[in-house]
């Protein structure tokens, strides 16, 4: 029943989280080890009392050896109990000098720990040696090359993107776009770069397809709009002109226009095409050198940027991009996520197969890590010292005892055993000599 209640308990309201369970387990182990160490002392004491009574009743000589071992074991157990207890508190509440070391020397220990970490873990030679032995690029490459790991990283990246896009305010992003993009476009002249671009297009001959398209469409329009040409000619003819004359003239004009359009369409060296080429070449030069043409280009630029529809597109650009990013990030099968995942896996394989790339990545990682430790090692170690300084002395002592106190109880046990053996050896030597 208790299991069922725990399973349905809301997240964040568990009455026995893992950390608390581990702490209680350590506390139980500490109490158990203290009882074991105490039992060794009690056992030595009982043996000492028993052998002392037996000696008073005329016990055999071997009882003296046992009594000496028990006596020395008691002394060893008491001495080590005092030493272990003095680390965390005053033994028996007596404020004996050099006891309760951890509570009294907490800040000193914190500073020493910070200096130790800084000298032995955050020094440049140590970091460089560790990174070289770790072979970061090879391990990262092996990990990323696995599809499940690449998908995991992609999912985490998508989560970060969603969070970042959601947190950003639309008006702030639009303001940044206004300053960083639109202002840059407005402040720079359009004439010279457009002229150079057009000149390059003309040099490469890329404009021929556009000219062909315009010419083809012009010919098709003329061919399919015979009635329109007739009507235009008739409307512009004098009122006194007979109708049949207007019709004959319109047909003649239509035929000439159609023939001209066909000639332009089929002859790549037609004067009309060459004239277009000359016009575009001159226009490209004027955009770069003619002040009047450059001024007109600036006027067109301002009119274009200030047009209401263009402003509307600029203002809605972030909203559109935001919707696209969110949709792509939330959909595991989106093209963006699939490409990111494939790119990560490909990068992982390259790290394994391309020694030059792996060496370069290792150099970047090594350089970044050494930069951090050389610039900010003091700030990093300060985290240790400042944290220790904020700890309550008594609470700190309890926490440390909880972590290492169980192992320290073996000192008391060993003290009892070693003391007993030492006492037995000393008593044996004394008996043998005297």
């Amino acid at each position: 029943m208790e299991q069922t209640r725990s399973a349905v308990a809301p997240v964040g309201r568990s009455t026995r989280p893992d950390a608390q369970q581990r702490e209680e387990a350590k506390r139980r182990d500490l109490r158990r080890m203290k009882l074991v160490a105490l039992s060794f002392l009690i056992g030595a004491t009982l043996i000492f009392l028993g052998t002392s009574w037996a000696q008073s009743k005329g016990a055999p000589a071997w009882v003296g050896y046992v009594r000496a071992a028990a006596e020395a074991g008691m002394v060893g157990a008491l001495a080590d109990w005092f030493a272990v207890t003095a680390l965390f508190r005053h033994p028996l509440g007596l404020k004996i000098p050099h006891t309760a070391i951890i509570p009294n020397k907490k800040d000193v220990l914190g500073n020493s720990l910070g200096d130790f970490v800084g000298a032995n873990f955050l020094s440049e030679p140590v970091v460089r040696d560790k990174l070289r032995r770790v072979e970061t690029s090879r391990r990262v490459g092996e990990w990323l090359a696995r599809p499940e790991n690449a998908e995991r990283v992609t999912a985490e990246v998508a989560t970060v993107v969603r969070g970042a896009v959601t947190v950003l305010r639309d008006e702030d992003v639009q303001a940044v776009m206004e300053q960083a993009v639109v202002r840059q476009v407005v402040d720079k002249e359009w004439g010279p770069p457009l002229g150079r671009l057009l000149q390059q297009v003309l040099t490469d001959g890329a404009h021929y397809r556009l000219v062909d398209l315009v010419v083809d469409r012009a010919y098709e329009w003329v061919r399919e709009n015979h009635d329109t040409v007739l009507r235009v000619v008739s409307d512009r003819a004098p009122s006194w002109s007979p109708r049949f004359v207007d019709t004959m003239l319109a047909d003649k004009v239509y035929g000439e226009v159609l023939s001209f359009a066909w000639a332009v369409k089929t002859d790549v060296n037609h004067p009309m095409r060459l004239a277009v080429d000359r016009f575009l070449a001159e226009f490209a030069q004027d955009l770069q050198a003619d002040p009047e043409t450059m001024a007109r280009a600036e006027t067109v630029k301002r009119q274009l940027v200030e047009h209401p529809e263009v402003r509307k597109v600029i203002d809605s650009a972030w909203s559109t991009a935001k919707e696209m990013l969110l949709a792509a990030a939330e959909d595991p099968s989106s093209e963006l996520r699939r490409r990111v995942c494939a790119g990560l896996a490909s990068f992982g394989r390259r790290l394994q197969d391309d020694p030059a790339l792996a060496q370069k990545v290792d150099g970047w990682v090594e350089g970044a890590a050494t930069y951090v430790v050389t610039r900010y090692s003091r700030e990093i170690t300060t985290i240790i010292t400042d944290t220790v300084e904020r700890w309550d002395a008594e609470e700190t002592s309890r926490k440390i005892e909880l972590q290492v106190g169980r192992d320290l109880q073996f000192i008391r046990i060993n003290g009892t055993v070693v003391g007993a053996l030492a006492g037995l050896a000393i008593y044996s030597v004394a008996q043998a000599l005297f």
Side-chain angles (χ1 to χ4, degrees), residues 155-233:
E156 295 297 335
V157 171
T159 301
V160 172
V161 170
R162 285 199 301 270
V165 170
T166 304
V167 168
L168 292 174
R169 296 195 309 169
D170 292 348
E171 53 269 27
D172 293 340
V173 177
Q174 289 173 358
V176 171
M177 292 179 62
E178 178 78 15
Q179 295 296 325
V181 180
V182 179
R183 291 302 175 192
Q184 290 292 330
V185 172
V186 172
D187 293 342
K188 291 185 177 180
E189 289 186 339
W190 279 19
L194 286 177
R196 289 190 293 270
L197 176 62
L198 179 57
Q199 190 173 25
Q200 185 63 45
V201 169
L202 295 174
T203 302
D204 297 339
H207 68 295
Y208 290 140
R209 291 187 179 181
L210 178 60
V211 173
D212 289 341
L213 176 62
V214 173
V215 170
D216 290 345
R217 294 300 299 271
Y219 171 77
E220 292 173 1
W221 186 90
V222 173
R223 187 184 61 187
E224 296 171 1
N225 288 272
H226 178 264
D227 294 339
T228 302
V229 175
L230 293 180
R231 186 173 60 254
V232 170
V233 174

Side-chain angles (χ1 to χ4, degrees), residues 94-171:
L94 302 175
K95 294 187 178 182
I96 302 171
H98 305 294
T99 59
I101 295 174
I102 291 177
N104 293 332
K105 301 291 185 178
K106 171 178 66 68
D107 295 342
V108 175
L109 292 174
N111 291 330
S112 299
L113 178 60
D115 294 339
F116 176 80
V117 171
N120 295 278
F121 295 93
L122 297 180
S123 62
E124 182 176 349
V126 171
V127 172
R128 287 188 179 275
D129 178 67
K130 180 64 176 177
L131 290 176
R132 289 194 188 102
R133 288 188 286 109
V134 166
E135 297 181 336
T136 305
S137 61
R138 181 184 61 80
R139 294 192 178 188
V140 172
E142 292 176 353
W143 192 84
L144 276 180
R146 299 171 186 163
E148 63 274 14
N149 294 333
E151 291 176 1
R152 178 181 176 185
V153 174
T154 303
E156 295 297 335
V157 171
T159 301
V160 172
V161 170
R162 285 199 301 270
V165 170
T166 304
V167 168
L168 292 174
R169 296 195 309 169
D170 292 348
E171 53 269 27

Side-chain angles (χ1 to χ4, degrees), residues 65 424-434:
Y65 291 88
L424 177 60
I426 294 172
Y427 185 80
S428 300
V429 171
Q431 291 298 315
L433 294 177
F434 306 105

Side-chain angles (χ1 to χ4, degrees), residues 150-151 154 336-349:
E151 291 176 1
T154 303
L336 177 62
R337 287 187 59 164
R338 287 193 291 108
R339 286 184 176 272
V340 170
C341 183
L344 289 171
S346 175
F347 180 67
R349 289 190 293 271

Side-chain angles (χ1 to χ4, degrees), residues 304-365:
L304 180 64
V305 174
E306 294 172 1
H307 194 279
E309 292 300 323
V310 175
R311 301 297 302 182
K312 188 183 297 183
V313 171
I314 294 174
D315 292 339
S316 63
W318 166 243
S319 299
T320 304
K322 179 180 179 180
E323 293 176 1
M324 292 174 59
L325 281 173
L326 287 175
E330 291 174 357
D331 183 9
S333 62
S334 66
E335 182 68 17
L336 177 62
R337 287 187 59 164
R338 287 193 291 108
R339 286 184 176 272
V340 170
C341 183
L344 289 171
S346 175
F347 180 67
R349 289 190 293 271
R350 285 187 61 199
L351 284 176
Q352 298 179 75
D353 302 334
D354 189 346
L357 177 61
Q359 186 177 3
K360 185 180 295 185
V361 171
D362 285 338
W364 290 341
V365 173

Side-chain angles (χ1 to χ4, degrees), residues 230-393:
L230 293 180
R231 186 173 60 254
V232 170
V233 174
S234 298
D235 291 343
R236 293 184 177 275
S239 58
W240 48 264
S241 177
R243 177 68 63 181
F244 74 93
V245 175
D246 295 343
T247 302
M248 291 176 60
L249 180 60
D251 284 336
K252 182 64 175 177
V253 170
Y254 175 77
E256 292 296 329
V257 172
L258 186 61
S259 298
F260 179 80
W262 174 255
V264 175
K265 171 182 171 63
T266 57
D267 185 4
V268 294
N269 294 317
H270 193 277
M272 183 65 180
R273 287 177 176 263
L274 299 178
V276 171
D277 289 345
R278 285 195 301 272
F279 166 76
L280 293 176
E282 292 173 0
F283 183 59
Q285 289 296 329
D286 291 342
L287 283 173
Q288 301 177 67
D290 182 48
E292 183 177 354
T293 305
M294 295 168 62
R296 288 182 179 179
E298 292 301 303
T299 301
V300 172
K301 176 187 71 176
R302 286 192 295 270
Q303 292 174 348
L304 180 64
V305 174
E306 294 172 1
H307 194 279
E309 292 300 323
V310 175
R311 301 297 302 182
K312 188 183 297 183
V313 171
I314 294 174
D315 292 339
S316 63
W318 166 243
S319 299
T320 304
K322 179 180 179 180
E323 293 176 1
M324 292 174 59
L325 281 173
L326 287 175
E330 291 174 357
D331 183 9
S333 62
S334 66
E335 182 68 17
L336 177 62
R337 287 187 59 164
R338 287 193 291 108
R339 286 184 176 272
V340 170
C341 183
L344 289 171
S346 175
F347 180 67
R349 289 190 293 271
R350 285 187 61 199
L351 284 176
Q352 298 179 75
D353 302 334
D354 189 346
L357 177 61
Q359 186 177 3
K360 185 180 295 185
V361 171
D362 285 338
W364 290 341
V365 173
E366 189 176 317
T370 53
Y371 176 83
V372 171
V373 298
T374 54
R375 299 277 182 169
Y376 303 105
S377 60
R378 184 59 185 169
E379 286 76 3
I380 296 173
T381 56
T382 300
I383 296 175
I384 299 174
T385 57
D386 291 348
T387 302
V388 173
E389 286 178 1
R390 289 194 299 270
W391 286 350
D392 177 73

Side-chain angles (χ1 to χ4, degrees), residues 34-54:
K34 284 184 175 181
L35 289 175
V36 172
L38 179 61
S39 67
F40 272 74
L41 173 59
I42 293 174
T45 302
L46 293 176
I47 293 173
F48 172 75
L49 294 176
T51 53
S52 297
W53 176 80

